Amino acid sequence: MEKFASHVFNDAVMREKLPKQAYKALKKTIEYGLPLNADLAEVVAGAMRDWAVQKGATHFTHWFQPMTGITAEKHESFISPTTDGRVIMEFSGKELIKGEPDASSFPSGGLRSTFEARGYTAWDCTSPAFLKEDASGVTLCIPTAFCSYTGEALDKKTPLLRSMEALSKQALRVLKLFGNSTATKVVSTVGPEQEYFLIDKKYFDQRPDLIFAGRTLFGALPPKGQELEDHYFGSIKERVGAFMKELNTELWKIGVYAKTQHNEVAPAQFEIAPIFTSANIASDHNQLVMDTLKKVANRHGLVCLLHEKPFAGINGSGKHVNWSMSTNDGENLLEPGHTPHQNMQFLTFLSAVIKAVDDYAELLRLSTACAGNDHRLGANEAPPAIISIFLGDQLTDILEQLCNGGATNCKVGGKLELGVSTLPPLPADATDRNRTSPFAFTGNKFEFRMVPSSISIAGPVFVLNTIVAESLSYIADRLEGAQDFTAELQKVLKEIVQKHKRIIFNGNGYSEEWVKEAEKRGLLNLRSTVDALPYFITEKSIALFEKHGVLTSKEINSRYEIVLENYSKQINIEALTMLDMAKRKILPAVNSYVTSLASSISIIKNAVATADTGVQEEMVLEISGLLKELKSRIDRLEKVTLEAKELHDDSLAQAAYYRNEVLTAMNDLREVCDKLEVLVAEELWPFPTYQQMLFKL
Ligand code: ADP
Ligand code: MG
């Protein structure tokens, strides 16, 4: 308890360190999202500095999240020279609220030319400042939003904050209609479960593919994979346990509610989940979790892999983003209530989510798109690339009956009438048995299971917030000014369920039948990043994000370019790494082996003329055949990789070429190398094997 948040300038610290008036003013600023005035900033900065310096801080940084997907920081020390040749520790209000980092090397997707290098970071006072302690010392980190000179968002945080405001605004309109006059804000709440792999650093260091691409580009399957399911929830090995212990301590210090930890399905795979909090803080914290995972692993001679698919043939990693909406007086809007009134409100918010997910399935899908996730979705280990909602039988039944008119029967018996009767209790565990759904209702929240393990959750969450804000705005438009509120609500909900029930699917999402059924229902199946991304720049998408003030058309186009470019760059790095490994390591290794086999034939024959060297001859033939194939597949990959580079003027065409041609050539090259791996003598194989990496922790 003492350690928790010891490194966070949180509410308790602020109350203690700030003069009463300043504390009140700051609270109000945070609560209502008001701009921070200069005088107040000065007072807060002084208190923050004193607190940080007392805890050993020498530097501060505006901590932000550019479109690279990781966090960025530029440290500045507090020192300021005095006339007598000494220094004092200084930190001004101006330095707290605004930074001006040279932004020229962050991706902007054409939003800013290099000569307008200036970017701004601005304190997001809804996320508390914290101290980062590592080998570089103690640094005061101020969570900030990052935008260009002309005010366009260049980061992950800005649209997330804007979407939270949009959702709050529309949800409050609906709440007001239900007679709620006390809530002044609705926040989206998020709890992300993070999956990751750990491998021994000595193996990692010998694998250029892991170093450069984060995933293995070669590797034959070991004799044992995950088929025995003996790793899942298994007892945690001591070495990993020691790592987890330190991880938790580090996270608790910076205020992350690290709560659950366990072995995951794949060998060497694990999960950590914090207790949910507001979307913005959850997103900041998830970045810190990823950062801390890597740092602490390193201290234990381990490497943490956050890639979606580090090992072929073995389950990959995702992030389950648990999401709901809550009023500032603590009411979870997706919690089925106990009174008819609460139930009616619950069904309204539930219907809003259903409508949103069906209307904008393509946006949700593309919010999870990246090169790594393409290996995972639809591969029978993660949901398919088709968006659908799992509600469970009971809720589905209730909605269907809503559709059929006012008074209805419930599956468990009894009558349900909107505004009159209560819902039967929905046991949470009854709704959580289907693990194959990309978007599942789990009792009092939704679990978005498509999200990739390596990316910031800000993207998926700002999309979710915005599309639900749009649904709520539609519902509020219909209901405001209605003569008979309950009758009109009944009508609206009925229409929503009728129109959008195609998105509800409670069956096995991994099955072939579902793919066919979904097609019949007219649901999109956007298999890869390249298929999904063009939906970002449609008129429909731009109209949505502009209406709710989340992204401008310019910002959308820049993000579209950044994601596509990133996709192509990533595959290009993978292709070059493969070529390097195949040409300089695998080919020579195979050649030495086959040469040693060949020379053994003549040595044996020389020694004993009648000896049978049939086996050696067969092996030489087989391996030489594969060697030839290896060379031709290297040549092919080299050729298409060069061709892909030529397409730089058209980012979509280029990304499509990488997916269609380069990835195919990579798979072909891998296939022959993996065959060779199990033929060549172990001591000659140049890389650690799957067996070593996955089973020797
Ligand atoms: P499971 O593995 O069964 O999905 P976990 O306990 O690992 O369950 O994760 C559930 C996550 O959902 C936790 O992070 C939890 O805090 C979060 N959660 C619970 N209630 C809400 C809510 N109302 N809004 C957002 N997240 C929530
Ligand atoms: Mg889960």
Side-chain angles (χ1 to χ4, degrees):
M1 277 162 64
E2 278 81 55
K3 260 185 201 154
F4 188 82
S6 61
H7 286 40
V8 187
F9 195 74
N10 58 13
D11 191 55
V13 180
M14 287 195 283
R15 192 174 356 199
E16 189 195 317
K17 304 279 178 196
L18 288 172
K20 210 166 176 187
Q21 281 311 316
Y23 170 73
K24 270 196 182 153
L26 183 61
K27 281 290 277 184
K28 212 163 136 197
T29 306
I30 294 171
E31 178 74 19
Y32 297 102
L34 305 170
L36 193 68
N37 78 47
D39 293 342
L40 180 56
E42 212 56 59
V43 179
V44 177
M48 227 184 235
R49 176 206 55 206
D50 291 347
W51 169 80
V53 169
Q54 202 177 42
K55 289 189 172 275
T58 52
H59 289 69
F60 71 93
T61 181
H62 276 201
W63 183 78
F64 59 104
Q65 301 167 30
M67 293 300 295
T68 51
I70 50 175
T71 54
E73 47 198 75
K74 177 179 150 196
H75 297 187
E76 289 189 57
S77 77
F78 291 118
I79 63 164
S80 172
T82 56
T83 46
D84 61 356
R86 302 186 321 162
V87 294
I88 50 167
M89 300 299 247
E90 256 187 6
F91 182 50
S92 69
K94 240 169 80 197
E95 285 170 311
L96 167 64
I97 44 183
K98 195 167 153 194
E100 294 183 23
D102 177 346
S104 56
S105 291
F106 290 113
S108 81
L111 263 186
R112 177 186 24 70
S113 343
T114 329
F115 61 87
E116 305 164 315
R118 206 178 285 278
Y120 287 115
T121 50
W123 183 30
D124 160 23
C125 53
T126 60
S127 181
F130 59 94
L131 298 175
K132 214 167 166 177
E133 189 175 2
D134 55 25
S136 67
V138 182
T139 306
L140 170 67
C141 298
I142 298 145
T144 54
F146 177 48
C147 64
S148 72
Y149 182 65
T150 42
E152 274 107 4
L154 290 174
D155 68 347
K156 302 267 177 185
K157 185 186 267 272
T158 306
L160 177 61
L161 290 171
R162 292 175 182 163
S163 77
M164 289 175 75
E165 237 170 78
L167 182 70
S168 178
K169 187 169 148 199
Q170 302 304 334
L172 283 176
R173 282 177 70 195
V174 172
L175 281 177
K176 205 181 228 163
L177 290 163
F178 278 93
N180 183 328
S181 56
T182 53
T184 53
K185 200 164 137 184
V186 168
V187 288
S188 46
T189 52
V190 169
E193 302 161 46
Q194 174 77 49
E195 292 179 337
Y196 61 93
F197 279 84
L198 287 177
I199 66 166
D200 197 304
K201 190 168 181 316
K202 70 171 179 277
Y203 300 131
F204 175 88
D205 287 340
Q206 297 172 57
R207 301 258 344 186
D209 45 3
L210 285 178
I211 295 172
F212 295 123
R215 72 175 177 113
T216 55
L217 299 165
F218 301 102
L221 273 182
K224 178 182 175 212
Q226 62 194 47
E227 59 276 61
L228 296 180
E229 286 162 345
D230 51 352
H231 190 255
Y232 193 53
F233 282 19
S235 91
I236 297 168
K237 282 191 183 156
E238 279 215 29
R239 183 174 186 198
V240 176
F243 155 83
M244 286 179 171
K245 182 178 171 199
E246 190 173 340
L247 174 71
N248 286 326
T249 312
E250 291 291 317
L251 290 174
W252 289 332
K253 279 200 278 192
I254 49 174
V256 177
Y257 301 104
K259 172 87 173 163
T260 323
Q261 62 197 25
H262 63 79
N263 286 359
E264 254 303 327
V265 174
Q269 191 187 29
F270 308 91
E271 180 183 298
I272 178 168
I275 299 171
F276 73 94
T277 172
S278 87
N280 173 37
I281 294 178
S283 165
D284 281 1
H285 281 182
N286 184 247
Q287 294 292 329
L288 289 172
V289 166
M290 293 195 284
D291 208 39
T292 313
L293 276 167
K294 295 209 165 241
K295 223 180 249 179
V296 175
N298 205 33
R299 292 183 202 154
H300 290 254
L302 298 164
V303 174
C304 172
L305 306 176
L306 291 170
H307 194 280
E308 288 72 28
K309 194 74 182 173
F311 303 98
I314 303 281
N315 268 20
S317 299
K319 254 192 273 245
H320 290 174
V321 173
N322 295 273
W323 175 93
S324 188
M325 299 164 267
S326 167
T327 64
N328 57 338
D329 33 32
E331 185 187 3
N332 177 357
L333 299 175
L334 291 177
E335 177 87 50
H338 301 296
T339 66
H341 182 84
Q342 287 169 339
N343 289 161
M344 192 159 72
Q345 186 183 301
F346 161 70
L347 288 173
T348 305
F349 280 94
L350 182 77
S351 305
V353 177
I354 294 170
K355 176 177 161 56
V357 174
D358 189 34
D359 279 341
Y360 295 101
E362 70 278 12
L363 296 183
L364 265 190
R365 165 65 186 97
L366 73 88
S367 75
T368 67
C370 66
N373 222 20
D374 281 1
H375 299 289
R376 219 181 125 244
L377 299 181
N380 281 345
E381 56 167 282
I386 309 161
I387 297 273
S388 67
I389 299 180
F390 172 85
L391 283 184
D393 291 341
Q394 206 172 356
L395 254 191
T396 308
D397 180 57
I398 289 166
L399 288 183
E400 254 160 28
Q401 305 220 23
L402 248 187
C403 232
N404 300 333
T408 52
N409 286 306
C410 272
K411 242 194 171 153
V412 286
K415 294 250 186 197
L416 172 78
E417 195 172 342
L418 216 50
V420 179
S421 43
T422 54
L423 290 181
L426 302 169
D429 56 352
T431 60
D432 195 19
R433 289 202 193 107
N434 189 322
R435 297 245 136 208
T436 65
S437 175
F439 199 81
F441 185 70
T442 51
N444 59 6
K445 61 182 172 6
F446 277 97
E447 186 169 341
F448 189 18
R449 302 197 179 117
M450 235 183 209
V451 180
S453 51
S454 69
I455 71 164
S456 155
I457 59 169
V461 176
F462 90 66
V463 169
L464 196 46
N465 286 346
T466 312
I467 64 179
V468 175
E470 171 58 18
S471 273
L472 291 169
S473 131
Y474 167 85
I475 293 173
D477 285 347
R478 291 275 306 265
L479 293 176
E480 280 165 359
Q483 297 288 335
D484 180 343
F485 173 72
T486 310
E488 181 64 13
L489 179 65
Q490 174 85 34
K491 206 167 130 209
V492 174
L493 296 193
K494 183 174 163 178
E495 278 174 30
I496 289 181
V497 177
Q498 261 166 356
K499 188 160 172 219
H500 299 290
K501 66 179 176 205
R502 63 172 191 162
I503 198 81
I504 299 168
F505 175 64
N506 295 326
N508 178 7
Y510 292 179
S511 70
E512 228 355 85
E513 294 85 71
W514 168 234
V515 177
K516 286 188 203 125
E517 164 71 17
E519 198 181 337
K520 247 193 260 158
R521 294 191 192 183
L523 302 179
L524 286 168
N525 186 359
L526 302 171
R527 288 189 172 79
S528 76
T529 302
V530 180
D531 301 316
L533 267 184
Y535 286 91
F536 199 19
I537 51 168
T538 58
E539 268 174 41
K540 178 184 165 196
S541 156
I542 293 171
L544 169 82
F545 289 117
E546 291 208 323
K547 173 177 168 185
H548 293 282
V550 173
L551 287 173
T552 65
S553 163
K554 243 171 117 181
E555 287 168 335
I556 291 175
N557 278 292
S558 96
R559 268 151 218 265
Y560 166 79
E561 287 296 330
I562 290 169
V563 180
L564 274 181
E565 237 174 59
N566 190 280
Y567 177 86
S568 294
K569 279 181 188 163
Q570 219 162 318
I571 299 182
N572 189 58
I573 291 170
E574 290 182 351
L576 296 181
T577 306
M578 268 193 115
L579 285 169
D580 185 62
M581 290 169 78
K583 284 180 1 190
R584 298 196 310 127
K585 292 276 194 185
I586 298 178
L587 214 144
V590 175
N591 194 44
S592 351
Y593 185 53
V594 85
T595 309
S596 76
L597 279 172
S599 52
S600 77
I601 297 173
S602 51
I603 294 169
I604 293 169
K605 285 266 190 214
N606 262 345
V608 185
T610 55
D612 185 349
T613 52
V615 173
Q616 289 87 335
E617 280 162 38
E618 243 173 63
M619 286 172 75
V620 169
L621 276 177
E622 186 182 5
I623 295 173
S624 309
L626 287 171
L627 195 58
K628 188 171 168 208
E629 196 54 48
L630 172 61
K631 179 66 173 68
S632 96
R633 292 184 188 194
I634 287 175
D635 293 345
R636 162 106 199 123
L637 179 57
E638 210 144 46
K639 180 167 167 279
V640 291
T641 308
L642 279 176
E643 281 167 7
K645 277 255 153 199
E646 297 295 306
L647 295 169
H648 52 77
D649 284 339
D650 182 344
S651 46
L652 184 62
Q654 185 178 46
Y657 195 86
Y658 272 107
R659 182 198 57 189
N660 298 334
E661 304 300 328
V662 179
L663 269 180
T664 311
M666 283 166 59
N667 288 338
D668 291 346
L669 175 56
R670 175 178 188 144
E671 186 193 50
V672 65
C673 292
D674 291 357
K675 273 189 197 156
L676 282 162
E677 183 185 322
V678 294
L679 291 173
V680 171
E682 193 186 347
E683 68 268 18
L684 291 180
W685 196 254
F687 307 113
T689 62
Y690 270 31
Q691 205 162 326
Q692 291 169 308
M693 289 184 284
L694 290 166
F695 292 96
K696 297 206 171 150
L697 255 188

